Structure formats: C-alpha cells, structure tokens
Amino acid sequence: METRQYTILVVDDEENIRWLYKEELEDEGYRIAAAASGEEALDLVSELKPDLVIMDIKMPGISGVDALIKIKEIDKNIPVIICSAYSDYKQDFSTWASDAYIVKSSNLDELKKAITRVLGEHQT
Amino acid sequence: MDYQQRYETLTKVIEISSSAIQINDRLMQTAHFLCLKGLAPTIAFYLLQHRDRRLTLRLAADSGGSLQLPAPPYSYAPPNPSDPLCTPLSTRTANPLTPDFINPDDLFRKARPYGWSLPLIDETQAYGTMVLLHHEHFTIDDEDLQFMLVICRQIASSLREDILRKRSQKKVRRLKFLHRIGARLNVSEDLQSIFSQLPDSSLTFFVHSASALTIYATENMPLQILDQGFKDKTLRAIGLDTSRAQISRAKFTSQPTVVDINSPSTSSYQNFFTRFSAHITLPLISRGVRLGTLEFFLDQDPKAQYLLPLEKPELELLEILAVHLAATVERTRTQNQLNSANQASLLRTRQLTISHRMKNALLAADTPEEINRLTLGALVSTEGFSCSPAIYIEYQEEGKFWHTLFYASDPGSLSTDHNSPKITDDATPLKVLTRHLLQASADLDTHTTETMNTLKFANFETAPGRFRQALSEKKPTIIPTRFVSALNSKLADIIPGRNILIIPIHGKEHLKGLILANADRIKEPDISYITLFTDAATLALDNTELYQRLQNSLATLNNAQSRLTQSEKLMALGEMATSIAHEIKNPLVSIGGFARRLHKQIPEESREKGYSLIITKEIERLEEIVNNVLSFSRADKKVFAPNDINQLISNITALFTRELKKLNIELKLQLTPDMPPVECDGNQIKQVLINLMNNSIQAITGRNDGSEEHRIIIRSTPYCNLDKQQDRVLIELEDTGGGIQEETIHDIFNPFFTTKHDGTGLGLPICHRIILNHKGEIRIHNQVGRGIKVVISLPFNHRENHERTVSPYQQER
C-alpha cells in the first residue's frame, strides 16, 4: 500500500532549528510546514490541517504547552510531539496531552522514531 | 546559908551570867560554883528545846567527883510523862524529886536519885530547869529556896539574853547571805553558774549536815541536776531519766512544800533519794511564768523524829532566794535569747555576704572550668575555708568513669603576703585570688600535680558505703579519710589529713562531679557556708551548661540558616544555569544537526569524514553536559538500563589515560570480573566517575608536600547488604591526594562549596544526587595526609527506579 505523504507542522522560535527539522524530516519523506510562534502555529493548524505538530515549549508569545492545548481544542485528533530542551517539563501535567515528549537533541533519531510511532498509532 | 554567903553567891552568879563566854561554859561555871558553895553535890541543867517543847539535859556539875558524867553535849532525855521535869513550868515553885521518878537511862540521877527541880523562868517564858541532886532525901528551907529561885531567875535572864543575841546574829547572817546571793546572782552569766553558787552557800547555812543538790527543771528544758561537790555519776543519770512530767506535777506549786521522799509521787527518785529524809521544793516563778523549781534535799538521820528542820523564817528566806533566783534565771534566759538572736543575725549577715560575693563571681564565670577553679580556690584559701588541698573530680557518664580535673592548694605564703588578694577584700575580685592560688599551687608542687593527673577512678560503686552515702547526699559531708583512700591509694598522698570533705556537685539533671578536700581545719558552722557556696557553684554550672547548649543550638541554627541561604543561592544559580543551558542548547542542536547532515554527505574514507565525526561527537558530549546541568535541579531524567559497571569504569578511565600518563599518576583497576549488570543510567554513573577522577587528579597534582606516591585505585566488588536484603556493587576510588581538611569534610556535598580556585562546587553534589537517585550510597573515608577513599554502593537491580522511568502518558494509554 502506498504511503501517503504526511504534513508535519514544526513550531520553534529558532529559525535554524526549523530549518534543520525541515531538511531532516523532508529527507524522511514528510511535507514540512513551519511556524515561528504559537499564534502562527494555531493559524496554520486551522489552515493546513497538518497530520502532526512538533512543538517547542519555550517560545515568545504563547508557550508551546498553551498552544498544544489550543490545537487539541481545534482538532483533538492532530497528534502533537513536544520537543523541548527541558527534560523537567515532562513531569508537568499539562504536557501529558502531548502524544510524545522528546528532549531536543542534534541527533534526531529519537524524534523520527516518535513521529513514525505516533503517525502509525493515528492511522489505525 | 547566911546573908553574906547569899550576897556573894548572887554576885558571883551575876558576874558569870554577864561574862562574854559561851552559854554552856557560863552554865557549867555556875553549876560548879553552886556545887562548891555546898548547894548540892550535883547540879544539872535541863533546857527546854523551843522546837518541840521537851526538856533536854544540857550539862551537869558534880562537886564530889565520884560521879562519872558523860561528856557534853548529852543526849536529850526520852520523855517520861510522870517525870516532874516534864510538868508544865507555869509554877514558879521548886519541885522535890523522889527516887520513884528515876529515869533508868539517866546515869547521874541513878547515883543521886533525890533532888529538887528549880524552874528557869522569867516574865516571858520558861527556859528549862536547874536540878539539885543528892544521894539521899534532903530538904531546902524556904529562905534558901527563895534565894535559889532568885539565882534561877538570874540564870533565866542570862539564857534569854543568849537567845536574843542568837536571834539577832541569825538575822544578820540571813541578811548577809541574801546580800551575798543577790550579788552573785546579779553577776551570773548563765544558769549553770547561778546554780553552781547555791548548794554550798545556802545549805551549809540553812541545813546542817545535809547533802544538797539542786534540781532545775522547766517545761521546755530537760531536767538538770546540778550537784556541786556531789560526784555521784549514777545520780546524774537517774535524775536525767526522770520524766519531766512527774517532776512538774509534784513540784509546780506556788508555795514552798516539803515533800516526803518516800511518797508515791516521787517514787522514781526512790533508788537514789532514800538516803534523804526530806527535801524542800521552791517554785521559780517570774512574771507569772513557771521557770522550774529549786529543790533542797535534806540528808538527815532517817530515825530522826523531826521532819522539818527549818523554821519559818528560814523558809521565808528560801522563798526570797527563789524569787531572786527566778528573776535571774529569767534575765539570763532573756539575755541568752538576745545573744543567740544576735549571733544568728551576725551569722546570717556573713552568710549573705559570702553568698552574694560568691554568686557574683560565679555568675560572671563563663565556663564550667572557671567555676570549678573558683570553687576550689575559695575552698583552699585561708581567707575562705582553709580546706587545702582540694581536687575536683569530674563524672563522665560514659562507662561511669571519673577523672580529676583540677587541683588546688593554698601554699600558705599567700596569707602572710599583704599584697595577695583576699576573699573578704571587696576591692579584689575572687577571680584574681583564684588565679593566684592556682598559679601558686601549680608552681608549688609539680609532682603533686602530675600525680593528680594520673588519678583516675573507675566505678565508685565499689567504694566503701560511707563514701557512697556521702556522695548520694546532696550536701557536703565530712568522713574519715580512710574511707576515701580505699578508692585510690595515691589519694591519701594528695589530700593528707584525718578527715576529708566530700562535696557532691549535683546539677539540675545529674551528678556532675565531686570535690574532695582536706577537712582538718573545718569547723562545723563552716559546713553551712560551704553548702551555700557550693549551691551557688552548682547553679552557675547549670547556667553555663545551659548557656553552652544555647550557643550550640545557635550555631546549629546559624549553620542551618547559611545552608538555607546557600541552597537559595543554588536555586537562583540553578535557574540561571538552566536558562543559560537552554540558550546554549538550541545553537548546539543546530550545529550538531547540520554537522550530522554534513557528515552524511561527506564521502567515506575522506579526511573530512573524520573531522565531521569529531564535530558530531564533541557536540554530543557538549549536549550531554548541558543536559546534566539542566537536569541537576531535577535529576530525574534517568535512562535506566542494564550496564556493565566494569565496562563503564574502563570507558571512563580510558578517557583519562593520556592525562594520567602525562601527570605520572599510576592507575590501578581492581575489578571483580563477571558481575551481573547493574540497572542504572550509564551516562549519569559515568558523570559520577568523571567527577571523582577529576577531583582525585586535581588533589594529587595540587599536593605540594613532596609526596612521591601518585596513585589512583578503582575497585569494584559485589557485596550483599543483609539489612536491606539487596545485592549491591561497591565501587571504590582511592587516591593519594592528601585527603580533605577535617573542618571542611562536612561541607563537601554542599553545592557551590569548593576548595579549588576554578571549581564550581557542583561536582560532588551532582555525584551525591545521582547516587541518591539510584538508591545508592556514597561515602567519603578521609585520611588526612594520605588521601581519600570514595565508596559508592549501587543496587544491582532497582525495580522502583525502573518503574519510575515509565512516562506518565504511557501509563495513560
């Protein structure tokens, strides 16, 4: 069965990070959209209906966690992976709504695995 | 007898009567003269005893010399009612005597049974009879009889004069006696001396041939018997055994009474008092208060017919004496009360002064040592209690062990030195005195001080009972030295003397120690001062103890506060570090991510491939460090996995190989092979090992005491902790870095504590945190001058930690 191309929205205030994710994930065959803030992300979610959102937490404007809650309000079926430099947010209840929590690293293998897993789970 | 003869005879009789010689001699001379004049061959005088109205033969004269008369004084004649001598002498006539009236006991009346009895009588009273005796019946003519009666009248007036003179003499003697007694009573200081005046002065005067003693008893005082010149010890004892109640019941009457010694009320005296026929009780009453009684015991012939040998005037005199005596007793008693009150107040003043001064000195003392020194100083000083020497023995509760702390002795020279301080000298603080004393005693005899230092006492439980009793009493006690010397034979050398003063120092909670001191110069009243003074010392000791405890808790509080401040500082720094790390993290991720991408595109086996690999790996390491910093405050991101501890150790030490070689540090690995894997976060354990290795290397290289031994040993050994029922692995890291200073050892796990110039103070705290997160233990064994040994124990398998790694959202699913 031919796999359809998934659209992933990358939300991070760091342009380089957005670029790195775009490059890496496009190599994996995903279509990538990027947002530099939570507000922008919410617009794009409504507009693009992405298959998955990768969300940083610490951003100017609304935080990634708040954005995560709002996205789930718009469409609770859109999976969100939190990818943060902090490991301690993992203990925070409000992050539990996410589908995965990845500590940001230059090695994206873990993120990629999580994406595959989350998308796979959502297909069924 | 013719007129001339009668005239001569009368003249002679008047001459004899008015002469100054004794009445007996006068009578005798008269009788002789009358015999020689041929009045009668024998003439006897029977005189009336004024007490019992009986006639008694006073004397007799015989002209012939054929009659053997007993020597005067003659015993009085037994009463014979039919004897004309016993008839009332109201008649002024002479009575002829006949042989019928002969008294068989009367020797000279047997020899000359016939005679005439002539009354000796004047206008006021009768004095007796003059008896003219013949061997045969004879008559006297009227004229002669009248003459004889005139002569008798003359003799009677002579007797009257004599009686009057005797009475006045008696009065004078009574007055003299009263004066003497009064004078003595006025100067008497105490009861004892008052009573000691009485017996010889009063009773030789009043009662002839009497053994006398006074008994003095009051309702508040025990019976006293004062027997001047009466040395019967048993008497005293009997008197004292007599109950006071019996005495007072019998004797406390307001009038002088004569008590029959053998009466039942005085039966308790009987054993002793049977020798006395009677005694006289005089109440001693002053201002309506019965003070006691004055008693006279009359030692008379028990067969005597007369019970009362004293006449009324004499009893009155005794009454006056009793009044005087009572007043004096009262005065002396009041004086005594005043004196004792005065003495008590003086005593109290001195006690107050001493206690005040001691309290000031003791409360100003800061340490128990100083207080003990003060106490000893005051004890041994000649200005204090002169109990020199004295030692203080401290009680240590652990193992009930005792040892001497202080020794003090007054060298004696101080008391003669005018410049030396004195306790009584207000200008000089007691502290100065004590310093002098201790200095002097330290200089004086170093040998004694050395002996003192070696004095140790194990358990006082084995001490003699007297000693233990003294110890348990909460006041100073004096006991013979031999009871104490059993404790330690050297003690007698240090504290010579027959008696020893034991002062237990009881604190508020327990026995603190005791003072032993020479007690040979202590007087009984001193004990109360010493008690007062040691009480103050104990109080001061308690105070310093409390003060020290307060200081300690203050220090603990300060310490806790500073730690709190530090941890606040840590939190602030942690937050800062976290935000910095976060800022570093993003660029690192970008650099690392793109480096990876580059790396993938660089062809294999090119040099650039190697470069990019290094970049990638180093960035990974950097990311790891940043992660560690980020996770320090909440080091909860643990990736638990089975790890080969030996492998971890080898990997880490491999990183240091070049450095160690360069620094000439020997590394020894003593790893137990084939151990089961340990469930842990390998990276965190690596972090711990790296930190420890860095510390050890820095310690070794920083050591500049010329030590040649540069070595690090790492061991791994499995071990079973029975308490926790857990198999553990021990990782030991031992170095020769010289160890840690003792005063800083407690701070080494505190964040930001560092002894290095460029240290962050986070190394060991992170290690500590990581190991704790692994439910392990980390301990530092410090050997100053050699090095340290860090011992880490980790459980092989820690399920609890394992479970915690499951993330919450996974649980939800």
Side-chain angles (χ1 to χ4, degrees):
Chain A
M1 192 182 107
E2 173 134 4
T3 54
R4 57 173 275 239
Q5 194 184 25
Y6 294 106
T7 304
I8 295 175
L9 175 64
V10 175
V11 188
D12 200 306
D13 58 329
E14 287 269 334
E15 195 188 349
N16 289 339
I17 300 284
R18 296 199 295 274
W19 187 21
L20 175 68
Y21 284 6
K22 188 176 158 70
E23 296 265 302
E24 281 284 311
L25 296 178
E26 276 176 354
D27 285 358
E28 300 294 317
Y30 302 116
R31 184 143 40 101
I32 301 300
S37 70
E39 291 85 348
E40 201 180 324
L42 291 178
D43 292 343
L44 286 174
V45 164
S46 310
E47 193 185 319
L48 298 175
K49 301 280 180 206
D51 297 290
L52 190 140
V53 180
I54 295 169
M55 179 77 75
D56 188 15
I57 290 179
K58 204 180 172 198
M59 290 181 293
I62 66 167
S63 79
V65 176
D66 292 341
L68 158 76
I69 306 296
K70 295 238 163 94
I71 289 166
K72 291 286 180 185
E73 280 170 8
I74 294 165
D75 185 348
K76 65 174 181 175
N77 288 323
I78 297 176
V80 180
I81 293 175
I82 287 183
C83 189
S84 166
Y86 295 105
S87 56
D88 47 338
Y89 278 107
K90 215 167 163 180
Q91 303 294 330
D92 195 334
F93 262 103
S94 51
T95 66
W96 289 5
S98 70
D99 296 73
Y101 192 110
I102 303 294
V103 177
K104 213 185 264 184
S105 165
S106 61
N107 187 343
L108 296 186
D109 292 352
E110 207 181 334
L111 178 64
K112 287 172 189 165
K113 273 188 230 161
I115 291 169
T116 315
R117 178 169 58 79
V118 169
L119 285 174
E121 282 166 2
H122 272 256
Q123 233 173 15
T124 53
Chain B
M1 206 177 271
D2 60 14
Y3 175 79
Q4 184 62 32
Q5 273 180 323
R6 281 178 195 155
Y7 176 76
E8 280 175 17
T9 307
L10 188 59
T11 311
K12 185 71 183 173
V13 166
I14 291 170
E15 190 193 323
I16 293 168
S17 302
S18 51
S19 70
I21 55 174
Q22 284 284 311
I23 184 73
N24 274 1
D25 292 339
R26 270 183 274 159
L27 289 176
M28 188 57 98
Q29 279 186 17
T30 310
H32 271 294
F33 175 73
L34 292 176
C35 286
L36 288 173
K37 281 289 170 188
L39 219 60
T42 298
I43 293 176
F45 285 98
Y46 285 82
L47 296 187
L48 191 68
Q49 296 295 326
H50 66 93
R51 278 196 206 100
D52 47 19
R53 317 299 298 171
R54 279 188 285 191
L55 288 168
T56 305
L57 174 66
R58 178 64 69 86
L59 56 90
D62 187 68
S63 58
S66 60
L67 184 68
Q68 290 295 315
L69 291 178
Y74 307 111
S75 62
Y76 51 83
N80 185 348
S82 56
D83 192 329
L85 290 177
C86 291
T87 55
L89 289 167
S90 55
T91 58
R92 291 172 182 245
T93 54
N95 298 309
L97 301 172
T98 64
D100 300 340
F101 305 111
I102 289 169
N103 183 330
D105 293 335
D106 215 338
L107 283 172
F108 55 95
R109 277 176 70 185
K110 257 184 216 165
R112 306 195 197 282
Y114 303 100
W116 286 83
S117 163
L118 302 165
L120 298 172
I121 202 165
D122 68 2
E123 291 83 359
T124 55
Q125 65 179 99
Y127 301 98
T129 63
M130 182 172 76
V131 182
L132 310 177
L133 293 164
H134 276 273
H135 63 280
E136 59 190 13
H137 183 78
F138 76 103
T139 55
I140 303 173
D141 60 34
D142 272 356
E143 238 175 283
D144 274 350
L145 201 62
Q146 286 308 315
F147 173 69
M148 294 304 292
L149 286 174
V150 170
I151 287 189
C152 283
R153 186 72 173 270
Q154 182 56 44
I155 293 169
S157 76
S158 165
L159 281 169
R160 178 179 168 75
E161 266 172 38
D162 186 64
I163 286 168
L164 286 175
R165 192 167 61 244
K166 269 192 178 167
R167 275 190 190 159
S168 71
Q169 274 177 353
K170 236 179 191 177
K171 266 184 188 157
V172 169
R173 275 192 293 176
R174 278 175 195 150
L175 284 171
K176 276 186 180 168
F177 168 75
L178 271 183
H179 174 73
R180 203 164 67 232
I181 287 287
R184 287 191 190 180
L185 291 178
N186 279 335
V187 297
S188 292
E189 291 280 310
D190 54 74
L191 296 178
Q192 192 79 27
S193 65
I194 290 172
F195 287 109
S196 66
Q197 307 284 353
L198 288 176
D200 56 354
S201 59
S202 60
L203 291 167
T204 51
F205 179 77
F206 286 110
V207 187
H208 67 94
S209 77
S211 306
L213 52 129
T214 48
I215 292 183
Y216 175 71
T218 71
E219 286 170 285
N220 302 322
M221 281 165 81
L223 182 72
Q224 295 179 28
I225 293 182
L226 304 158
D227 50 340
Q228 184 75 16
F230 198 101
K231 301 295 178 203
D232 189 346
K233 291 254 170 76
T234 55
L235 159 79
R236 198 179 280 270
I238 291 163
L240 288 170
D241 281 344
T242 313
S243 81
R244 191 178 54 78
Q246 276 178 310
I247 297 285
S248 56
R249 201 168 48 241
K251 310 296 153 54
F252 282 123
T253 55
S254 56
Q255 292 296 315
T257 46
V258 178
V259 180
D260 182 4
I261 279 296
N262 297 317
S263 78
S265 69
T266 52
S267 62
S268 52
Y269 290 106
Q270 235 159 8
N271 287 340
F272 158 67
F273 289 116
T274 42
R275 53 183 293 187
F276 299 111
S277 57
H279 85 277
I280 296 156
T281 296
L282 294 150
L284 298 177
I285 297 172
S286 174
R287 281 179 263 168
V289 180
R290 290 180 302 186
L291 301 171
T293 60
L294 174 67
E295 318 244 344
F296 293 98
F297 290 85
L298 309 181
D299 187 10
Q300 279 191 334
D301 181 4
K303 290 176 193 159
Q305 288 161 344
Y306 309 115
L307 193 64
L308 182 64
L310 297 180
E311 285 178 81
K312 200 166 184 272
E314 291 169 329
L315 281 177
E316 279 170 7
L317 201 54
L318 284 180
E319 269 188 275
I320 295 169
L321 168 66
V323 169
H324 273 292
L325 196 59
T328 313
V329 166
E330 172 72 14
R331 182 170 54 82
T332 335
R333 230 164 61 150
T334 316
Q335 191 67 42
N336 282 349
Q337 279 171 353
L338 272 173
N339 280 350
S340 62
N342 196 25
Q343 249 173 1
S345 77
L346 273 176
L347 200 78
R348 208 156 292 142
T349 310
R350 195 182 147 197
Q351 281 178 341
L352 278 174
T353 313
I354 287 192
S355 81
H356 176 73
R357 291 181 47 66
M358 282 310 298
K359 219 173 270 173
N360 282 352
L362 288 169
L363 291 181
D366 303 324
T367 59
E369 288 72 26
E370 202 176 336
I371 289 166
N372 288 326
R373 282 171 194 278
L374 274 172
T375 315
L376 287 195
L379 274 178
V380 300
S381 160
T382 45
E383 281 293 310
F385 300 102
S386 300
C387 311
S388 173
I391 56 172
Y392 177 74
I393 304 177
E394 193 189 42
Y395 175 61
Q396 290 175 321
E397 217 139 9
E398 302 88 22
K400 290 200 170 180
F401 189 73
W402 300 73
H403 75 122
T404 39
L405 282 183
F406 303 112
Y407 168 84
S409 85
D410 187 358
S413 59
L414 278 177
S415 53
T416 54
D417 181 4
H418 291 292
N419 296 324
S420 73
K422 291 176 163 66
I423 283 182
T424 48
D425 184 1
D426 274 333
T428 314
L430 194 61
K431 278 188 189 180
V432 179
L433 168 77
T434 309
R435 233 183 349 260
H436 273 244
L437 287 173
L438 289 164
Q439 187 56 46
S441 70
D443 294 345
L444 189 74
D445 193 351
T446 46
H447 169 72
T448 313
T449 316
E450 275 167 27
T451 319
M452 187 277 289
N453 285 336
T454 61
L455 266 189
K456 290 205 192 301
F457 306 94
N459 202 339
F460 280 171
E461 298 293 314
T462 56
R466 280 287 293 277
F467 179 80
R468 269 181 290 136
Q469 191 190 341
L471 203 61
S472 64
E473 283 188 29
K474 297 201 169 179
K475 59 182 174 56
T477 323
I478 296 175
I479 66 168
T481 306
R482 65 195 150 92
F483 289 110
V484 181
S485 55
L487 293 170
N488 190 312
S489 55
K490 287 179 192 161
L491 200 61
D493 298 340
I494 291 181
I495 305 176
R498 291 199 359 263
N499 292 309
I500 204 158
L501 173 71
I502 300 178
I503 309 173
I505 306 292
H506 283 273
K508 196 175 275 178
E509 286 153 8
H510 57 83
L511 184 67
K512 287 182 195 302
L514 72 147
I515 292 171
L516 299 180
N518 181 352
D520 283 357
R521 267 166 290 174
I522 288 187
K523 291 177 203 76
E524 195 58 36
D526 288 341
I527 295 282
S528 63
Y529 299 134
I530 293 174
T531 311
L532 227 117
F533 151 77
T534 47
D535 281 354
T538 312
L539 193 75
L541 272 178
D542 272 336
N543 277 352
T544 52
E545 204 168 84
L546 284 176
Y547 181 70
Q548 275 187 345
R549 254 189 245 172
L550 207 68
Q551 290 282 67
N552 285 348
S553 46
L554 198 68
T556 316
L557 213 65
N558 279 340
N559 203 352
Q561 199 189 12
S562 69
R563 279 181 200 201
L564 208 66
T565 318
Q566 261 198 355
S567 74
E568 274 170 9
K569 200 161 70 184
L570 164 72
M571 275 172 70
L573 277 170
E575 271 172 33
M576 201 170 78
T578 310
S579 66
I580 290 170
H582 183 255
E583 294 309 311
I584 293 168
K585 182 77 180 263
N586 279 328
L588 275 181
V589 169
S590 309
I591 297 166
F594 287 112
R596 276 173 186 278
R597 288 185 68 75
L598 275 177
H599 181 70
K600 278 183 206 157
Q601 286 162 23
I602 291 169
E604 299 287 331
E605 289 149 15
S606 68
R607 292 172 84 180
E608 288 80 1
K609 190 78 174 177
Y611 302 158
S612 66
L613 185 67
I614 288 169
I615 294 170
T616 316
K617 290 290 165 195
E618 287 303 314
I619 285 179
E620 266 178 34
R621 200 156 75 91
L622 276 177
E623 278 189 88
E624 194 68 37
I625 290 165
V626 170
N627 282 344
N628 278 342
V629 172
L630 283 173
S631 65
F632 169 68
S633 56
R634 287 168 69 171
D636 49 12
K637 187 188 178 281
K638 296 177 287 285
V639 183
F640 279 83
N643 278 293
D644 183 343
I645 279 292
N646 288 348
Q647 190 63 49
L648 286 179
I649 293 169
S650 304
N651 287 350
I652 293 306
T653 51
L655 292 174
F656 286 94
T657 315
R658 281 179 64 189
E659 195 183 355
L660 290 171
K661 198 167 183 180
K662 201 175 87 189
L663 294 168
N664 196 20
I665 297 172
E666 182 193 359
L667 178 73
K668 274 174 144 181
L669 296 183
Q670 300 172 343
L671 308 177
T672 309
D674 302 327
M675 285 195 297
V678 176
E679 195 86 14
C680 64
D681 185 325
N683 284 334
Q684 288 195 351
I685 298 300
K686 273 187 196 168
Q687 176 82 54
V688 170
L689 289 169
I690 289 167
N691 285 351
L692 294 179
M693 282 293 287
N694 278 329
N695 283 348
S696 289
I697 290 166
Q698 280 170 18
I700 290 168
T701 53
R703 202 175 172 184
N704 47 17
D705 55 0
S707 170
E708 290 295 313
E709 204 181 15
H710 296 165
R711 194 172 60 234
I712 298 174
I713 305 169
I714 302 178
R715 293 187 199 89
S716 68
T717 36
Y719 130 98
C720 182
N721 185 336
L722 290 173
D723 287 342
K724 297 182 180 171
Q725 303 251 315
Q726 217 169 40
D727 288 334
R728 287 172 166 246
V729 62
L730 285 190
I731 306 163
E732 292 174 329
L733 187 143
E734 202 176 329
D735 70 29
T736 56
I740 305 162
Q741 292 301 309
E742 281 296 333
E743 57 264 30
T744 57
I745 190 92
H746 300 291
D747 291 317
I748 56 169
F749 287 124
N750 289 340
F752 304 111
F753 174 82
T754 182
T755 56
K756 303 167 194 162
H757 289 296
D758 54 348
T760 61
L762 276 172
L764 279 174
I766 286 177
C767 293
H768 190 217
R769 215 177 189 97
I770 289 170
I771 298 300
L772 286 184
N773 279 335
H774 280 76
K775 295 283 166 193
E777 283 169 13
I778 179 163
R779 287 200 184 140
I780 311 273
H781 297 276
N782 187 31
Q783 283 176 294
V784 181
R786 283 206 57 194
I788 60 160
K789 184 162 87 174
V790 185
V791 181
I792 297 166
S793 81
L794 286 176
F796 277 109
N797 193 353
H798 200 275
R799 251 185 301 150
E800 209 187 311
N801 280 346
H802 197 62
E803 282 165 5
R804 208 189 275 169
T805 55
V806 179
S807 72
Y809 74 94
Q810 280 171 329
Q811 280 178 327
E812 212 173 42
R813 294 284 158 110

